Amino acid sequence: MSDITPFSVSKQPPLILVADDDKTIRVLLRKAMEQEGYRVVEANDGKQCLDAYETIKPDIVLLDAVMPVMDGFTCCKHLLQIARNNLISALATFDTDSALNNTVISSIWERTPILMITCLDDEESVDRAFEAGATDYVTKPIHWPVLRQRLRRLLQQAQVYKQLEAANQALHHLANIDGLTQLANRRRFDNYLNTQWINLAQQESPLSMILCDIDYFKFYNDKYGHPAGDVCLQKVGAVLSLKAQKHQDLVARYGGEEFAVIMPYTPASGAVHIAAAIQEGIKDLQIVHDGSAVSQHLTLSMGLATVVPTWESSPSDLIVQADKALYQAKDGGRDRFISS
């Protein structure tokens, strides 16, 4: 399972989505925006606006309040919901608590500003626009200098949010990824295990774990040097990632030459299947290891454990079981896996 990687903020000119049923207004808006150096995409009504929004991911939306098919107020609510849904999907791999999710989700519309353009300037209509999720509004007939200034301000604000998001994701990546193998680190391992423990306790579903240890790795480092040892760790990590179930399992560097695989919704038979595939993948690497007492090539010892989490038990119970199984695998001659 891969973590989210930091994204870069686009250096292209801002992309503006203009939704208005009046072709004359759209032409005027396009001309004015392109003179400012912006890119423009047009939509005739609210429905087209929603379709375009999901396709092009604009930096800002200029939205007419009164349109056929779907008015601007309804469209604005749908735009906000699309943004919220997208963020929920993006946050799925963060395993953060629901309070943090709600805090971030509640502000997502600010990063995709919606500027309502309306001929309605009564207090009720203005309140309705903001309640629907609009960031700001201007009235018709359009006062072009005012529109330009508000666009600049909103785009600058959106750029700041994107930069903060990029920085946050970069920090998240650094805090949760092992620098050498690019696998999850121990911190990420602990967080993911705790989160899955709670989820699976509620669902009464199995949780499996594999603890892996490279056999006689100290001798490998002594004979071939630490740079070669680092390459070896990277290759082993790559095999683990390849054999794990991408969308649910977490592969982590547990410490030193130890790795771990957390497998939600996986019974003991599934864990055995994955362990066998890992063992075969390591053998296929054919990494020469003259310092090993069990093989001329690199091998792994693995301990497997499976439990159905309960509120009376804890994640450490699963780790203890897997660790005991790993000890038995080493004590039994290494280059094997034992299931607790």
Side-chain angles (χ1 to χ4, degrees), residues 86-193:
N86 289 343
L87 183 62
I88 290 171
S89 297
L91 287 173
T93 56
F94 277 79
D95 301 314
T96 50
D97 59 82
S98 58
L100 178 56
N101 281 354
N102 291 335
T103 299
V104 181
I105 290 169
S106 67
S107 64
I108 185 61
W109 61 270
E110 293 183 296
R111 288 195 287 277
T112 307
I114 301 171
L115 179 61
M116 191 83 78
I117 300 177
T118 176
C119 58
L120 308 172
D121 61 355
D122 58 284
E123 184 176 346
E124 182 180 352
S125 296
V126 172
D127 289 342
R128 188 181 174 194
F130 285 119
E131 288 171 2
T135 314
D136 204 346
Y137 79 99
V138 294
T139 57
K140 295 180 181 179
I142 297 172
H143 191 267
W144 298 103
V146 171
L147 177 62
R148 290 189 182 96
Q149 288 302 318
R150 291 191 178 179
L151 267 177
R152 288 172 185 168
R153 177 178 60 81
L154 291 175
L155 286 169
Q156 288 172 354
Q157 186 181 68
Q159 183 71 2
V160 169
Y161 281 121
K162 288 181 179 180
Q163 290 171 343
L164 288 173
E165 182 67 13
N168 286 335
Q169 291 204 25
L171 288 173
H172 180 273
H173 182 82
L174 291 172
N176 290 279
I177 299 299
D178 173 64
L180 176 64
T181 63
Q182 294 301 299
L183 298 174
N185 61 14
R186 182 62 180 271
R187 178 179 183 273
R188 171 68 171 151
F189 167 89
D190 290 336
N191 289 341
Y192 191 72
L193 179 58

Side-chain angles (χ1 to χ4, degrees), residues 268-281:
S269 59
V272 168
H273 176 76
I274 295 297
I278 290 172
Q279 188 177 51
E280 192 65 27

Side-chain angles (χ1 to χ4, degrees), residues 37-335:
Y38 305 140
R39 296 173 293 151
V40 180
V41 172
E42 299 178 26
N44 297 332
D45 55 52
K47 178 64 172 62
Q48 285 190 11
C49 179
L50 293 179
D51 293 339
Y53 180 83
E54 292 197 85
T55 302
I56 67 172
K57 297 178 175 57
D59 295 289
I60 192 168
V61 179
L62 299 187
L63 185 60
D64 185 22
V66 182
M67 294 184 291
V69 183
M70 179 188 294
D71 65 38
F73 301 108
T74 304
C75 179
C76 193
K77 290 179 180 179
H78 283 296
L79 289 172
L80 181 60
Q81 188 59 52
I82 290 171
R84 288 168 64 91
N85 291 341
N86 289 343
L87 183 62
I88 290 171
S89 297
L91 287 173
T93 56
F94 277 79
D95 301 314
T96 50
D97 59 82
S98 58
L100 178 56
N101 281 354
N102 291 335
T103 299
V104 181
I105 290 169
S106 67
S107 64
I108 185 61
W109 61 270
E110 293 183 296
R111 288 195 287 277
T112 307
I114 301 171
L115 179 61
M116 191 83 78
I117 300 177
T118 176
C119 58
L120 308 172
D121 61 355
D122 58 284
E123 184 176 346
E124 182 180 352
S125 296
V126 172
D127 289 342
R128 188 181 174 194
F130 285 119
E131 288 171 2
T135 314
D136 204 346
Y137 79 99
V138 294
T139 57
K140 295 180 181 179
I142 297 172
H143 191 267
W144 298 103
V146 171
L147 177 62
R148 290 189 182 96
Q149 288 302 318
R150 291 191 178 179
L151 267 177
R152 288 172 185 168
R153 177 178 60 81
L154 291 175
L155 286 169
Q156 288 172 354
Q157 186 181 68
Q159 183 71 2
V160 169
Y161 281 121
K162 288 181 179 180
Q163 290 171 343
L164 288 173
E165 182 67 13
N168 286 335
Q169 291 204 25
L171 288 173
H172 180 273
H173 182 82
L174 291 172
N176 290 279
I177 299 299
D178 173 64
L180 176 64
T181 63
Q182 294 301 299
L183 298 174
N185 61 14
R186 182 62 180 271
R187 178 179 183 273
R188 171 68 171 151
F189 167 89
D190 290 336
N191 289 341
Y192 191 72
L193 179 58
N194 291 334
T195 299
Q196 291 303 322
W197 191 271
I198 294 171
N199 291 341
L200 297 173
Q202 292 173 329
Q203 301 176 37
E204 298 182 350
S205 297
L207 175 63
S208 291
M209 178 182 294
I210 303 175
L211 285 182
C212 315
D213 189 272
I214 300 177
D215 295 325
Y216 301 106
F217 187 68
K218 180 181 183 302
F219 296 153
Y220 186 93
N221 271 336
D222 289 345
K223 182 173 181 61
Y224 302 106
H226 287 281
D230 288 347
V231 173
C232 176
L233 290 171
Q234 291 170 336
K235 289 181 177 180
V236 170
V239 169
L240 293 172
S241 292
L242 181 65
K243 302 303 180 182
Q245 301 301 310
K246 298 299 182 184
H247 299 296
Q248 65 179 30
D249 297 350
L250 181 80
V251 179
R253 187 178 180 191
Y254 194 69
E257 69 271 23
E258 291 185 314
F259 298 85
V261 186
I262 300 173
M263 297 170 288
Y265 305 102
T266 303
S269 59
V272 168
H273 176 76
I274 295 297
I278 290 172
Q279 188 177 51
E280 192 65 27
I282 295 300
K283 287 183 179 179
D284 289 343
L285 290 176
Q286 292 288 291
I287 298 175
V288 176
H289 186 1
D290 290 337
S292 173
V294 296
S295 172
Q296 61 182 346
H297 294 103
L298 193 82
T299 58
L300 285 185
S301 295
M302 291 177 277
L304 286 57
T306 301
V307 300
V308 175
T310 66
W311 302 114
E312 291 74 31
S313 55
S314 73
S316 62
D317 297 332
L318 180 61
I319 297 175
V320 168
Q321 288 188 35
D323 193 54
K324 286 181 178 178
L326 175 59
Y327 176 81
Q328 291 172 5
K330 291 180 178 180
D331 193 52
R334 306 185 188 236
D335 186 22

